[in-house]
Amino acid sequence: MSRYFDMAAELYQKGDKVSAFNAFLELAIDGDADAQAMVGFMLENGEGCEANVEEAYGWYRKAADQGQHVALFNLGQMLRSGKGCAVDEAAALEAFLKSARAGNLHAMFEAAQMIEAGAGCEPNPARAANWYETAARYGHVEAQNCIGAMYQEGDGVAQDYEKAREWYEKAAEQGHPRAMYNLGMLYDKGWGVEQNSEKALEWCRKAAHAGHDKAKGIIRRLQEEGKIVF
């Protein structure tokens, strides 16, 4: 990145969004892909300028054409939702995949979701699992829970409760409510682990505290069966 880009970024961080927008815009007009992505972002969100999602889409497109991975991700979001452009799920998936191949974890997750659901393509659980697991290995919490679920169900991968537990644990330890519930369910059922009502209760309590309603059902049943005492 150029020194002038760094100066524009500093203005943005200091809260002088109008000056930052003008500085980024000058660089964007000269073809700087990172600046084009920032101009798109600021136009989309009305930062330092009047919001204009159609113009934002145009700048994301310019940056995406140069392979800028954040712009590719944001472009995918717009194409998928129809924000500032017509809905085009196939083009959205293509943008997410290009961003994912450049290392964008959020794009990996979005691509996996679309491929699993068959949005913009034919459903392909194995390919979806590959992207979920790649994102999960780099720390994407939602992807960790999703690949755990695929190992639990044997969807797109060979069923493996031990791997399901490992991925659920990684996400649960970071506070993911559904992963907490899923981990509690494994201990409750004894799937891939020794059945353990205390551990099931521990994780389901955490999930319930985080707002996961199904976890409350397991807690209630354990209590009714006399396996826990409050």
Side-chain angles (χ1 to χ4, degrees):
M1 293 183 187
S2 69
R3 184 168 177 272
Y4 194 65
F5 183 95
D6 291 339
M7 290 171 61
E10 185 176 351
L11 288 169
Y12 182 89
Q13 292 298 325
K14 287 181 176 179
D16 187 354
K17 303 291 180 69
V18 173
S19 296
F21 177 78
N22 290 331
F24 283 130
L25 182 59
E26 185 172 336
L27 284 170
I29 291 170
D30 285 341
D32 185 296
D34 293 321
Q36 289 170 346
M38 275 302 300
V39 169
F41 177 80
M42 295 180 80
L43 280 164
E44 182 181 1
N45 295 284
E47 294 191 5
C49 59
E50 185 176 347
N52 188 319
V53 292
E54 288 80 11
E55 286 189 15
Y57 172 82
W59 284 110
Y60 284 147
R61 173 67 71 185
K62 289 178 184 295
D65 286 345
Q66 298 189 64
Q68 214 282 347
H69 73 92
V70 176
L72 280 162
F73 174 78
N74 290 338
L75 185 66
Q77 294 281 53
M78 297 186 91
L79 285 163
R80 191 176 186 184
S81 66
K83 184 179 181 181
C85 59
V87 171
D88 188 334
E89 289 189 328
L93 177 58
E94 181 182 359
F96 286 139
L97 286 170
K98 286 180 179 178
S99 183
R101 293 180 188 120
N104 189 303
L105 299 187
H106 301 296
M108 292 176 192
F109 178 74
E110 294 294 335
Q113 283 202 308
M114 293 189 75
I115 292 167
E116 182 181 15
C121 63
E122 289 297 317
N124 189 325
R127 191 181 182 201
N130 179 65
W131 279 116
Y132 279 137
E133 191 152 11
T134 301
R137 289 187 185 283
Y138 285 99
H140 193 287
V141 179
E142 187 69 40
Q144 289 171 347
N145 178 66
C146 287
I147 190 60
M150 295 189 89
Y151 275 115
Q152 178 184 320
E153 299 298 327
D155 184 18
V157 291
Q159 189 175 52
D160 189 326
Y161 286 124
E162 177 62 22
K163 285 186 177 180
R165 181 193 61 78
E166 290 175 1
W167 285 119
Y168 287 153
E169 278 188 349
K170 288 181 185 295
E173 287 169 358
Q174 296 178 75
H176 191 283
R178 187 166 183 83
M180 292 176 186
Y181 165 74
N182 287 336
L183 186 56
M185 183 175 61
L186 290 186
Y187 280 110
D188 179 52
K189 301 292 186 182
W191 291 344
V193 295
E194 185 177 346
Q195 197 280 334
N196 189 317
S197 295
E198 289 184 2
K199 285 190 175 182
L201 174 62
E202 175 190 351
W203 284 111
C204 285
R205 275 179 171 166
K206 290 179 179 180
H209 184 70
H212 198 286
D213 288 334
K214 286 186 178 180
K216 299 173 185 176
I218 292 181
I219 295 170
R220 190 179 306 112
R221 180 177 52 72
L222 288 171
Q223 185 183 23
E224 290 171 352
E225 293 174 356
K227 293 180 180 178
I228 60 173
V229 178
F230 288 93

